[in-house]
Amino acid sequence: MMAEPVNIQRTLDSFSEPWSPRIVAQFNDYDVRVAKFHGAYLWHSHQDTDELFIVAAGRLVIHLREDGVERCVTLHRGDTYVVPRGIEHKPVSDEESHIIMVEPTGTLTVGDTHEEIPDHVDATTGHHIG
Ligand code: NI
């Protein structure tokens, strides 16, 4: 069956919880998810998939750790960044930011390995809308 268009802004307007992605589209075996990021996420990694971030609004700092070496990248509205599989990462937004993510359907937000999950983080494979 043919789907109806899904509006990203309207989806963002429909919820307020940070770190709780909504699935706005699925194609092949991938999800396009939108989420509000605010505050600090947790260190985690995805063993089997890269993860694409697109900043629709706000500012996102992604802390990265590879072989014990830490660095971070700062993304502004319109920036894209791919975290390669296996790389530990921790997104941080000091203001509410709106993030679009593309990753395989079923990918758990907190990854395969992660530190303790704080209460404000929703460990999910994404929420369907409507
Ligand atoms: Ni991740």
Side-chain angles (χ1 to χ4, degrees):
M1 194 174 69
M2 306 284 270
E4 295 300 319
V6 173
N7 184 271
I8 287 175
Q9 188 59 53
R10 204 168 302 138
T11 302
L12 286 163
D13 290 344
S14 73
F15 69 99
S16 56
E17 319 91 89
W19 315 115
S20 188
R22 268 49 177 180
I23 298 167
V24 292
Q26 293 182 302
F27 66 102
N28 297 324
D29 299 322
Y30 276 74
D31 292 348
V32 179
R33 304 176 184 175
V34 298
K36 293 176 173 176
F37 286 10
H38 196 182
Y41 202 59
L42 58 139
W43 283 106
H44 68 281
S45 63
H46 309 271
Q47 288 319 307
D48 299 321
T49 181
D50 304 340
E51 190 168 39
L52 167 64
F53 294 87
I54 301 167
V55 179
R59 194 177 77 116
L60 172 62
V61 177
I62 304 178
H63 296 260
L64 301 159
R65 191 156 61 197
E66 184 178 22
D67 299 327
V69 178
E70 270 186 38
R71 71 183 192 101
C72 63
V73 292
T74 300
L75 310 182
H76 299 92
R77 187 165 70 92
D79 285 342
T80 68
Y81 191 76
V82 175
V83 175
R85 66 194 66 193
I87 299 294
E88 287 182 281
H89 54 287
K90 176 180 181 170
V92 176
S93 279
D94 52 18
E95 59 187 280
E96 182 179 277
S97 57
H98 297 168
I99 309 298
I100 300 166
M101 286 164 292
V102 182
E103 52 202 329
T105 297
T107 300
L108 192 58
T109 46
V110 295
D112 313 294
T113 54
H114 54 78
E115 60 182 349
E116 190 177 342
I117 300 172
D119 288 342
H120 69 278
V121 167
D122 179 19
T124 177
T125 53
H127 300 281
H128 289 274
I129 54 173

